[in-house]
Amino acid sequence: MIGYAASLTAAHRAFLLDLFPGDGCVLSSEGLAAFSADASRERAMPWAVVRPERRDQLVELLRWAEAERMPVYPRARGTGRVGGAVPSLGGVVVSMLRMAGEPVVDADDFVAEVLPGVITADLQAACAAKGLFYPPDPASVRISTIGGNVATCAGGLRAVKYGVTRDWVLGVEAVLPGGRVLRTGGRSHKDVVGLDLTRLFVGSNGRLGLMTGITLKLIPLPETSASALVGFADLASSLAGAGAVFRAGVLPSACEFMDQGALEALRLGPEGTSMPLAPGARAALLFKLDGTGPGVAAEMDRLTAALAPLSSVSVEVGRGEAEEMVWNARRGISAAAFRLAPDKLAEDIAVPRGRVAEAVERAREIGRAHGLHVLCFGHLGDGNIHVNIMHDRSHPGESAIAHQAADEIFRLAVSLGGTISGEHGTGLTKASFADEQLGPEAVAIMRGVRRVFDPREIMNPGKGW
């Protein structure tokens, strides 16, 4: 069993205050509380919070932390839903937000050099200004950071065509426990020399070190886009529609689905009155195409032709400003869910594409068996299902019942050949299930790899392997 520091001593405080002067070190109870939780609502108080601005500060911090066996918890904007940034064993939270600044976008090399605290949407805007494109687009794109996206291997709507964050990271600079500085990869788009250490950091959830610089691959900005919202009489028909589109040779940049529960929640609010979807729709697909103007027009024709034999109940195509109306329904689901119950567990699983219908129906059955409303939506193109377990925590025992339902849904995903997380990571809330999915041999190897970087396991401890 790894032993950690038991508390923050006076000497520890003096060291941190000297290394991070002014408001760079937070020690007050009120200040620490803001860093005790993330979007999962899991909570644990840190002993201190530091706000580095330079790499040399992190070198000294991790040299000290390894010697003192001090738990270190990297944190960005706290948008994670699984407790990945929660300091479950006390220790020091490292807020990376001050390591930001303007991204360096190179239109010749088609790369961007980015500090970890840069907001993802700001990077995308800087790329677009030069006619370039960084495709990963997690739902939190306007508030989450590149460092957080890389640490969790964030996905998003465009993953079906463009992949997830790992597919766009060319290199990483990181400070490791003990104060070592590691640089992996670089600006070259092709590099097959040695083991791929860069990818070890993507999705590492802060367990290997603190990233101080990230090199990202870019592509030309698509000329235009168009979207289609298609309503179906039932979920099975909608999934058959998605299959027909792919078989027709159309690869959308986004392919989203919404089940009956998601549509019911939307229809209870004001956005439901303007939703361009037939009242009889009990499931819906949302496609986005991008590319050149003629190419998008031709693909949209092929997409609608592929759907025609399936007797969809409505088809709404949006281009330009009208495209935003098509997407309003999808963007509103998360907030609309609270019209069904005051609390929710927002989980995500992923299954093979051919098992999505079964996964959704069985997840809803699990909810009904527990007397709870489960609604599903997500990224159909890659089998990533967002499962919202609606409940009322003010009712005695209902929160525990909701968590029991979530456990059953995790095991359902694994039984279907899927995974307990498509893009949220594991953190605190899924740590035990990660071990169950991966198996003892894989977990042992992962832990061995981790110890090469972090021999005393001080980086984000308490989160499994």
Side-chain angles (χ1 to χ4, degrees), residues 238-249:
S238 71
L239 298 183
V245 168
F246 283 103
R247 284 192 294 273

Side-chain angles (χ1 to χ4, degrees), residues 290-332:
D290 64 8
T292 65
V296 168
E299 283 200 318
M300 185 60 75
D301 289 343
R302 183 177 290 190
L303 183 150
T304 53
L307 293 174
L310 296 169
S311 302
S312 54
V313 298
S314 66
V315 179
E316 181 72 24
V317 175
R319 296 180 175 87
E321 292 183 5
E323 191 173 5
E324 284 302 302
M325 286 192 63
V326 173
W327 278 95
N328 282 341
R330 171 63 176 84
R331 294 191 184 104

Side-chain angles (χ1 to χ4, degrees), residues 229-294:
L229 178 62
V230 188
F232 294 88
D234 52 51
L235 181 66
S237 298
S238 71
L239 298 183
V245 168
F246 283 103
R247 284 192 294 273
V250 178
L251 180 60
S253 59
C255 177
E256 299 290 291
F257 82 94
M258 295 170 274
D259 76 352
Q260 182 175 346
L263 297 183
E264 287 173 359
L266 287 168
R267 286 172 173 142
L268 289 173
E271 66 269 29
T273 60
S274 61
M275 187 166 56
L277 196 64
R282 295 292 177 267
L285 294 180
L286 181 52
F287 298 96
K288 187 180 184 76
L289 306 174
D290 64 8
T292 65

Side-chain angles (χ1 to χ4, degrees), residues 32 117 123 227 284 306 395 399:
L32 296 176
L123 167 67
S227 295
H395 291 174
S399 180

Side-chain angles (χ1 to χ4, degrees), residues 33-404:
F35 296 86
S36 64
D38 62 10
S40 70
R41 297 188 180 182
E42 297 287 331
R43 185 176 297 275
M45 285 290 282
W47 300 336
V49 173
V50 296
R51 297 177 170 124
E53 298 179 20
R54 307 181 312 275
R55 186 184 65 201
D56 64 281
Q57 289 177 301
L58 294 176
V59 169
E60 291 303 314
L61 175 70
L62 291 191
R63 184 179 293 142
W64 166 83
E66 183 175 75
E68 298 295 324
R69 297 194 174 185
M70 180 65 65
V72 173
Y73 293 88
R75 180 186 177 93
R77 298 297 294 274
T79 60
R81 293 186 173 273
V82 294
V86 175
S88 54
L89 301 181
V92 177
V93 167
V94 183
S95 171
M96 301 297 289
L97 297 184
R98 291 187 178 177
M99 297 195 70
E102 288 294 321
V104 178
V105 179
D106 190 317
D108 293 322
D109 287 351
F110 279 75
V111 300
E113 299 278 358
V114 188
L115 293 172
V118 169
I119 302 297
T120 306
D122 293 344
L123 167 67
Q124 291 177 333
C127 293
K130 293 192 174 185
L132 300 175
F133 187 40
Y134 175 68
D137 63 330
S140 59
V141 64
R142 291 180 177 85
I143 54 174
S144 62
T145 66
I146 288 294
N149 290 176
V150 173
T152 58
C153 193
L157 304 177
R158 291 192 283 253
V160 59
K161 182 174 183 178
Y162 294 108
V164 294
T165 299
R166 72 162 60 93
D167 301 304
W168 299 89
V169 181
L170 294 173
V172 166
E173 178 189 85
V175 180
L176 309 183
R180 299 168 291 164
V181 177
L182 175 68
R183 295 176 181 86
T184 73
R187 296 168 68 93
S188 174
H189 284 226
K190 183 179 286 186
D191 180 356
V192 297
V193 177
L195 298 178
D196 193 345
L197 299 181
T198 301
R199 284 209 170 192
L200 285 179
F201 278 88
V202 187
S204 65
N205 291 275
R207 292 187 178 125
L208 303 183
L210 294 168
M211 288 179 286
T212 53
I214 300 160
T215 304
L216 300 169
K217 177 173 64 176
L218 307 175
I219 58 175
L221 183 69
E223 178 183 299
T224 190
S225 66
S227 295
L229 178 62
V230 188
F232 294 88
D234 52 51
L235 181 66
S237 298
S238 71
L239 298 183
V245 168
F246 283 103
R247 284 192 294 273
V250 178
L251 180 60
S253 59
C255 177
E256 299 290 291
F257 82 94
M258 295 170 274
D259 76 352
Q260 182 175 346
L263 297 183
E264 287 173 359
L266 287 168
R267 286 172 173 142
L268 289 173
E271 66 269 29
T273 60
S274 61
M275 187 166 56
L277 196 64
R282 295 292 177 267
L285 294 180
L286 181 52
F287 298 96
K288 187 180 184 76
L289 306 174
D290 64 8
T292 65
V296 168
E299 283 200 318
M300 185 60 75
D301 289 343
R302 183 177 290 190
L303 183 150
T304 53
L307 293 174
L310 296 169
S311 302
S312 54
V313 298
S314 66
V315 179
E316 181 72 24
V317 175
R319 296 180 175 87
E321 292 183 5
E323 191 173 5
E324 284 302 302
M325 286 192 63
V326 173
W327 278 95
N328 282 341
R330 171 63 176 84
R331 294 191 184 104
I333 295 174
S334 187
F338 290 105
R339 296 176 187 136
L340 303 178
D343 299 292
K344 72 176 176 178
L345 292 181
E347 303 293 354
D348 86 311
I349 59 174
V351 298
R353 287 181 185 175
R355 309 300 293 272
V356 170
E358 181 180 359
V360 170
E361 291 295 349
R362 289 177 64 181
R364 290 169 62 88
E365 288 173 6
I366 289 170
R368 287 192 291 269
H370 290 287
L372 302 176
H373 198 134
V374 171
L375 64 87
C376 300
F377 62 94
H379 317 315
L380 182 57
D382 52 19
N384 189 181
I385 306 168
H386 292 284
V387 181
N388 286 247
I389 304 168
M390 308 309 300
H391 62 286
D392 187 344
R393 67 173 65 186
S394 69
H395 291 174
E398 194 158 303
S399 180
I401 292 172
H403 280 89
Q404 182 180 341

